[in-house]
């Protein structure tokens, strides 16, 4: 039987940034929070309010060696990061399948397309084919501006990059193609309001 | 930059069973395959055929220590299994959000309810509230009979168990409440045909 560690909800990203998040530390503004933290906090809020069920997928790990100490929980002693085959977030909202990737930049004028990986765009295209609501949440962290950008726009821009046409998406083009998220008190990043607009535009 | 191991697609379950699965080894009958292997193989088929996008979620791991050897990929040296907060599988099919848990038994007459965990049923109930298509795939491995059982049936049975009324679901009740999967040539476990029926019944 697997024994789980007690009390910790820290994610890989928290670990990498050495900033564990406990419920007590959740703030209701975006000050100092990464985009991922803002989305995770918003998802907790949406789940508690029964507005949507969206979770971040765990990082895929290939486990090679596990110790099973007596009277203690199992310890993974050798493991490797694996390439993901999907985006980071998916879930269900008002009967719709949601699928999205979250990306942040400190740039002020454009978003570099190299931040997207091919498997993420292939997955978004596959989910679009199945009628999913697919997008990226793009955060310009210095500007504190956040966008729900349709997956179709990101996929087109990424292919243009691969064809040598451009290396980034201009903020002005993102503004035109996206729905800007009005940051709020609760949740921190109320992205579902922008998703409502995306769903309405699709019809 | 994270370097990924080359060539391996083995999952945690494969590791635990010491049976790595390579594409060459995929068979087109259920002989010797666990229920999870059958579902994963079927999901690969559905994805390749552009019929559905369903993935198994990675096992959540809490990472404590990582080594970054020079000229080599990162090695996780201390990590722990974490409690999941969702089911194992979700995805999108014909615009519907699918969410399910897969469970197998060697029993021939009933399925023990202790095999379901509370977080799985809470998650299924939350997804049902949002209009998702939620179910369990229950495999009676000795009988080679497989069922798509509506989440509502499993949730009710689980609460009866918690109230002391019963400890298992009788096969005869599962037959009545579920849609049996007709096992096939490709994919191994064509569960989407049963899901079509589940969707039709919901209307």
């Amino acid at each position: 039987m697997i024994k789980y560690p007690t009390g910790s909800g820290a994610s890989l990203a928290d670990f990498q940034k050495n900033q564990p998040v406990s419920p007590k530390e959740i703030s209701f503004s975006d000050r100092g929070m990464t985009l991922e933290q803002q989305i995770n906090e918003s998802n907790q809020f949406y789940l508690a309010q029964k507005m949507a069920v969206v979770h971040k997928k765990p990082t895929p790990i290939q486990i090679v060696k596990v110790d099973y100490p007596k009277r203690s929980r199992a310890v993974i002693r050798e493991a490797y990061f694996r390439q993901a085959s999907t985006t980071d977030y998916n879930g269900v909202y008002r009967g719709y399948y949601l699928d999205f990737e979250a990306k942040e930049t400190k740039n002020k004028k454009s978003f570099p397309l190299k931040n997207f990986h091919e498997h993420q765009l292939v997955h978004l295209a596959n989910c679009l084919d199945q009628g999913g609501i697919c997008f990226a949440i793009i955060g310009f962290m210095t500007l504190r501006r956040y966008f729900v950008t349709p997956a179709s726009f990101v996929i087109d821009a990424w292919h243009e990059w691969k064809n040598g046409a451009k290396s980034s998406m201009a903020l002005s083009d993102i503004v035109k193609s996206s729905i800007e998220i009005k940051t709020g008190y609760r949740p921190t990043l109320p992205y579902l309001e922008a998703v409502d607009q995306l769903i309405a535009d699709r019809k």
Side-chain angles (χ1 to χ4, degrees), chain A:
Chain A
M1 183 178 161
I2 292 167
K3 292 189 182 177
Y4 298 97
T6 50
S8 173
S11 74
L12 174 63
D14 299 330
F15 163 76
Q16 288 172 329
K17 295 182 182 79
N18 202 18
Q19 294 175 335
V21 175
S22 81
K24 287 174 195 165
E25 290 167 18
I26 292 170
S27 86
F28 299 114
S29 82
D30 66 1
R31 270 159 225 262
M33 292 175 87
T34 65
L35 180 60
E36 181 180 315
Q37 287 169 333
Q38 292 181 50
I39 293 171
N40 292 349
E41 189 278 329
S42 300
N43 286 341
Q44 285 175 34
F45 176 85
Y46 287 139
L47 183 64
Q49 300 291 317
K50 297 197 175 294
M51 291 172 69
V53 182
V54 180
H55 288 277
K56 184 171 190 294
K57 291 193 180 180
T59 303
I61 302 286
Q62 183 195 16
I63 298 171
V64 174
K65 183 164 178 277
V66 184
D67 283 352
Y68 298 93
K70 277 185 187 172
R71 296 173 204 281
S72 185
R73 61 189 195 254
V75 189
I76 297 162
R77 287 296 181 196
E78 183 183 352
Y80 300 91
F81 296 102
R82 288 172 54 205
Q83 176 75 269
S85 51
T86 66
T87 50
D88 273 352
Y89 293 92
N90 76 355
V92 59
Y93 169 56
R94 291 171 38 206
Y96 294 101
Y97 173 82
L98 303 189
D99 200 296
F100 61 98
E101 187 66 31
K103 299 285 187 195
E104 58 173 78
T105 182
K106 289 179 179 168
N107 288 6
K108 294 178 181 177
K109 291 186 174 173
S110 66
F111 185 87
L113 283 158
K114 67 178 181 199
N115 291 352
F116 284 97
H117 305 295
E118 184 162 16
H119 73 266
Q120 294 164 347
L121 300 170
V122 168
H123 176 72
L124 287 170
N126 286 336
C127 292
L128 274 180
D129 277 349
Q130 285 298 322
I133 306 295
C134 305
F135 52 94
I137 296 184
I138 295 178
F140 285 85
M141 306 309 279
T142 312
L143 306 174
R144 292 199 182 169
R145 294 184 72 178
Y146 308 90
F147 299 90
V148 165
T149 304
S152 55
F153 179 82
V154 178
I155 292 166
D156 288 349
W158 194 83
H159 283 295
E160 284 180 56
W161 171 51
K162 284 289 163 183
N163 292 333
K166 62 178 175 186
S167 64
S168 64
M169 298 184 286
L171 173 59
S172 57
D173 289 338
I174 291 175
V175 168
K176 273 182 233 163
S177 66
S178 309
I179 300 132
E180 187 158 1
I181 303 171
K182 296 175 186 72
T183 52
Y185 168 63
R186 298 187 75 171
T188 311
L189 197 72
Y191 69 87
L192 286 183
E193 293 170 24
V195 169
D196 285 335
Q197 187 63 48
L198 192 66
I199 292 168
D201 291 350
R202 199 180 66 154
K203 282 176 183 166

